[in-house]
Amino acid sequence: MSRWCLYTWKRDGRSLRRALPALTALAALLATSAGVVAGAAGAVERDVLGAGGLTQIELSSFEGDTSVRSLTSSALRDVENVPGVRRVVADYASVLYAEEDGTYDLAARTLTPGDDLPVTRGTLPTEPRRDEVVLPAAAQGTDFTPLLGRTVAFGYTRATGAGAGTTDVIRLRIAAVYDPSWQADGPGVAYLAEDTAALLAAARAGLDPERYRSTEGARSAVVEVEHQKHVAAVTKALQDDGFSASPVSDRVRHLPGLFGAVDLAARIGVLVLALAAVGLGAVRAADSARARVGQFAVLRILGSGRADLRRILLGEALLTGGVAGTAGLAVGMGLSTALAGPLSGVLGLPIRRMDALPGPGWAAAALLLPAAGLAAGTLLGSRDVLRQDPYLTARAHL
């Protein structure tokens, strides 16, 4: 008897197959929404938060404040040993000035993971080498763009005593130049590798780099954690250890709230699909059973029980839900990948087509909820019709 559901589903226009278009549309809407959200969230995490944003913590040192730990080499090693920390980049301040051509005098500091410079030429190194520097395209009357890729001699000060010093020369290759209007750290800043910045800062203080790092320390540091979920725990551990630590997320508090709202909307979408499937199943099952009450009565008289008839309806519900979920998921995935391009333009972030696919959980929800919801609705909607006396029903339909 259970195999009859396949025949009735295909051949009887009054079967639960009538719920197929509505359930397919709901499943497609859920899959599309989940894919769009996944694509947008992935782009933001990769290009905004992954580059700095919510996976970083800032450490600061304050001269003369003994209540805050200095960022010495030993202290930074303690930071690296905190569970969840990926790496620590210390920021050392120094100065580079013209050795050959020009009259510029540039503040210099470490290029940290949180520095998202608007590069106009060249490529911003993720971890610059010791002989690399990133400069503004132009500063203090000097155009650095023609020097891109070339090794240039820069002067720096080496202290030799109280109020006395000499000029040393360091040769650095200009790896990239950035828009000089970007002045997050001040106008005309040169960005160096951590070791190079420490070397120049130590020379200015009249110390060797290792001693400078162990005694004077860095002015600030950026801590990269392995995942955003570790930020709160790592921040608390650092604060408890005497560091002045603050998450970069404090500057972009609206982003966690935004993603929380998006996640809530997606969960509501799952609930709506489930309730719609149950409601549609109850209504369609009741209508279908009433429309075929004469057929069901004959089957009852011929020996089929209510459980057999219920299995027919459940089979039709599962077939309808399965086809709707499969078709809806396919349509939704197609739509979400097609929307990757337009959404990239709206957000101003590149969204890859593969990123715009719904995750496994959302895909499973779009695939399975129509069948599960329709089956549950079928059990509810068909109860009254299947309880009717088959003989009275058959006599009424003669």
Side-chain angles (χ1 to χ4, degrees), residues 295-318:
Q295 297 177 8
F296 288 169
V298 171
L299 291 175
R300 289 283 304 280
I301 292 172
L302 293 178
S304 298
R306 281 185 293 187
D308 297 320
L309 302 181
R310 190 175 292 111
R311 278 196 291 271
I312 293 177
L313 291 174
L314 283 176
E316 293 178 357
L318 294 176

Side-chain angles (χ1 to χ4, degrees), residues 42 109-110 114 195 197 257 358 376:
R109 53 160 293 187
T110 305
D195 289 342

Side-chain angles (χ1 to χ4, degrees), residues 114-211:
D115 294 322
D116 188 19
L117 280 64
V119 171
T120 57
R121 295 283 299 276
T123 302
L124 185 68
T126 304
E127 296 185 31
R129 299 196 304 266
R130 292 188 178 189
D131 63 342
E132 288 184 327
V133 63
V134 178
L135 298 175
Q140 301 177 21
T142 301
D143 185 4
F144 292 105
T145 302
L147 302 176
L148 179 67
R150 292 173 53 185
T151 299
V152 178
F154 297 90
Y156 68 95
T157 300
R158 178 179 298 279
T160 57
T166 61
T167 297
D168 276 0
V169 176
I170 185 171
R171 303 185 68 85
L172 302 170
R173 189 183 72 87
I174 301 177
V177 294
Y178 64 90
D179 186 348
S181 64
W182 190 83
Q183 300 182 3
D185 300 305
V189 177
Y191 291 90
L192 305 163
E194 179 181 346
D195 289 342
T196 307
L199 170 68
L200 301 183
R204 195 177 186 188
L207 302 172
D208 64 82
E210 291 303 321
R211 184 179 177 189

Side-chain angles (χ1 to χ4, degrees), residues 228-243:
Q228 178 186 344
K229 64 184 179 181
H230 300 312
V231 169
V234 172
T235 301
K236 186 177 186 307
L238 293 175
Q239 291 174 347
D240 291 344
D241 202 19
F243 292 98

Side-chain angles (χ1 to χ4, degrees), residues 5-341:
C5 65
L6 179 61
Y7 304 128
T8 58
W9 185 81
K10 290 192 300 183
R11 298 179 182 180
D12 195 334
R14 297 168 296 179
S15 72
L16 290 178
R17 189 180 60 190
R18 292 184 299 173
L20 186 59
L23 285 177
T24 301
L26 288 171
L29 181 60
L30 175 62
T32 302
S33 302
V36 167
V37 170
V44 172
E45 183 174 357
R46 181 181 64 252
D47 295 328
V48 178
L49 309 184
L54 303 186
T55 58
Q56 294 180 356
I57 301 169
E58 290 186 347
L59 302 180
S60 302
S61 70
F62 302 96
E63 188 175 353
D65 188 350
T66 57
S67 65
V68 175
R69 286 188 68 176
S70 298
L71 301 180
T72 59
S73 53
S74 61
L76 294 178
R77 282 194 295 270
D78 291 341
V79 174
E80 290 177 337
N81 292 329
V82 174
V85 171
R86 177 183 298 165
R87 65 167 176 156
V88 181
V89 179
D91 185 15
Y92 299 94
S94 54
V95 177
L96 285 176
Y97 51 83
E99 172 61 22
E100 297 174 349
D101 299 328
T103 57
Y104 54 84
D105 190 357
L106 305 177
R109 53 160 293 187
T110 305
L111 181 66
T112 65
D115 294 322
D116 188 19
L117 280 64
V119 171
T120 57
R121 295 283 299 276
T123 302
L124 185 68
T126 304
E127 296 185 31
R129 299 196 304 266
R130 292 188 178 189
D131 63 342
E132 288 184 327
V133 63
V134 178
L135 298 175
Q140 301 177 21
T142 301
D143 185 4
F144 292 105
T145 302
L147 302 176
L148 179 67
R150 292 173 53 185
T151 299
V152 178
F154 297 90
Y156 68 95
T157 300
R158 178 179 298 279
T160 57
T166 61
T167 297
D168 276 0
V169 176
I170 185 171
R171 303 185 68 85
L172 302 170
R173 189 183 72 87
I174 301 177
V177 294
Y178 64 90
D179 186 348
S181 64
W182 190 83
Q183 300 182 3
D185 300 305
V189 177
Y191 291 90
L192 305 163
E194 179 181 346
D195 289 342
T196 307
L199 170 68
L200 301 183
R204 195 177 186 188
L207 302 172
D208 64 82
E210 291 303 321
R211 184 179 177 189
Y212 181 83
R213 288 186 170 193
S214 62
T215 57
E216 299 295 327
R219 68 173 187 177
S220 64
V222 174
V223 180
E224 272 196 320
V225 300
E226 295 174 353
H227 193 277
Q228 178 186 344
K229 64 184 179 181
H230 300 312
V231 169
V234 172
T235 301
K236 186 177 186 307
L238 293 175
Q239 291 174 347
D240 291 344
D241 202 19
F243 292 98
S244 173
S246 62
V248 175
S249 60
D250 287 349
R251 301 178 182 176
V252 285
R253 290 185 181 275
H254 65 284
L255 284 176
L258 173 63
F259 287 115
V262 169
D263 182 66
L264 178 61
R267 295 177 187 276
I268 292 175
V270 170
L271 181 62
V272 169
L273 175 59
L275 293 177
V278 172
L280 190 61
V283 173
R284 289 300 188 191
D287 292 343
S288 178
R290 279 194 294 267
R292 294 184 287 172
V293 66
Q295 297 177 8
F296 288 169
V298 171
L299 291 175
R300 289 283 304 280
I301 292 172
L302 293 178
S304 298
R306 281 185 293 187
D308 297 320
L309 302 181
R310 190 175 292 111
R311 278 196 291 271
I312 293 177
L313 291 174
L314 283 176
E316 293 178 357
L318 294 176
L319 282 170
T320 303
V323 173
T326 303
L329 179 59
V331 171
M333 291 170 64
L335 286 174
S336 63
T337 53
L339 290 172

